[in-house]
Amino acid sequence: MSNINLIQFLSIDTAEWYKPNGTATGARQVPQSYRYQNFFVQEEKTLVVGGISKKYDFAPFRVEGTTSSLNGDNGVLQVLFPYSDYAIQLVERGNGNRLSQLTLYTLWLPTSNLQATSFSNPQQRDYFLGVGASFSETTIELRFRSSIDSVGSNFPARSISYELAGYLPNNADLVLQ
Amino acid sequence: MAAPSFPNYVPSKRDFKQGSFPTRQYKGLSGAVCYVTFGNKASGYELRLEYAAINTATTEEIMQHYMNTQGGVDDFGVPDNIWQGLGSGIRDLMQKPDGIRWSYGEAPQVESVLRDRQNVRVTLIGNLIAK
């Protein structure tokens, strides 16, 4: 009989305007990281990626909806949180989840490896950009898209750059500038 | 939020159901089974208590406790008298499962059987509390 344990670590970088105390000017955008894992209930775990270890608190989030295709469509991802104070912060500090960046790590582990406090080498790593959020009476849904998936065959030279497509395309319908 | 413990009276009958792990099963056409597990702790414990022919004051205390916990919103401890007759090992598994907090699964049911005597049935559920 086979059993596999599915563990997801997510890191959301929001960008909020930070104004140093007592100054009227000098505000700047400062990313703030929120890191959660959804497997080890009420525990904090460490994930090591590229030699850098970071701690991930528990949050009962659920991730749904990545897709990939040959057409260059961008992947869509929904992250579902319970309606709670920290989830509201995630939305508000990311300007309605429109300035957030999400890194999602997925690990599949056998049960014998679950006692560890630190994990490394996630089998999958995905990057997404926030495209909005919605609220219901019990949940907060953060919506993300992959930043760029691929370029369609009719795109000039089939390559992409900031000069050609502009700032952070998150839709496959690219328009030349 | 933690509320005062459940009233400390020995029940006439006690039913306990252990929690389950968050697991999904895939079964192939061959009949081979694979499991995917999404968490490291069991939840969904259930404890049914019956109090036979208890007096009105005790019934009131149970009903008031339900009101004080906002009908299942606030969690609380289940005191020792509830678990009478059990050895310490099995009692720990039932009374304080890892990470579990008890709350009401449904409102207490009160049946009047004699003057100043009621049968009371209470269902408690043990869930993992997210922050």
Side-chain angles (χ1 to χ4, degrees), chain B residues 89-124:
Chain B
I90 190 171
R91 176 187 289 204
D92 284 348
L93 284 172
M94 290 183 167
Q95 188 173 12
K96 295 171 187 166
D98 190 11
I100 290 296
R101 300 295 305 187
W102 292 101
S103 59
Y104 284 93
E106 59 184 52
Q109 296 176 49
V110 179
E111 177 188 14
S112 297
V113 288
L114 280 172
R115 186 183 188 85
D116 190 36
R117 292 286 159 181
Q118 292 87 29
N119 292 339
V120 177
R121 286 187 294 278
V122 175
T123 302
L124 306 181

Side-chain angles (χ1 to χ4, degrees), chain A residues 40-109:
Chain A
F40 300 97
V41 182
Q42 297 156 2
E43 294 178 43
E44 190 180 66
K45 294 290 180 183
T46 300
L47 181 67
V48 184
V49 179
I52 299 170
S53 65
K54 290 182 176 168
K55 291 186 184 305
Y56 289 73
D57 207 354
F58 172 77
F61 65 86
R62 175 191 289 196
V63 174
E64 291 176 347
T66 57
T67 58
S68 64
S69 72
L70 293 174
N71 301 325
D73 299 330
N74 298 78
V76 178
L77 187 83
Q78 286 109 32
V79 181
L80 212 60
F81 279 94
Y83 202 119
S84 55
D85 53 351
Y86 63 90
I88 293 170
Q89 277 186 24
L90 282 177
V91 176
E92 295 306 323
R93 294 191 174 167
N95 191 12
N97 196 43
R98 288 174 296 179
L99 294 177
S100 298
Q101 300 171 49
L102 166 69
T103 310
L104 179 68
Y105 303 98
T106 307
L107 285 85
W108 290 271
L109 289 180

Side-chain angles (χ1 to χ4, degrees), chain A residues 1-6 38-43 57 60, chain B residues 33-41 99 128-131:
Chain A
M1 188 160 55
S2 126
N3 178 33
I4 202 78
N5 297 279
L6 178 68
N38 66 357
F39 189 92
F40 300 97
V41 182
Q42 297 156 2
E43 294 178 43
D57 207 354
Chain B
V33 172
C34 295
Y35 292 95
V36 181
T37 303
F38 303 95
N40 68 334
K41 287 178 182 160
L128 296 166
I129 302 295
K131 71 172 192 175

Side-chain angles (χ1 to χ4, degrees), chain A residues 139-155:
Chain A
T139 59
I140 294 176
E141 180 190 282
L142 308 183
R143 290 190 300 275
F144 295 88
R145 273 182 172 272
S146 59
S147 56
I148 187 74
D149 185 65
S150 62
V151 176
S153 58
N154 57 348
F155 196 77

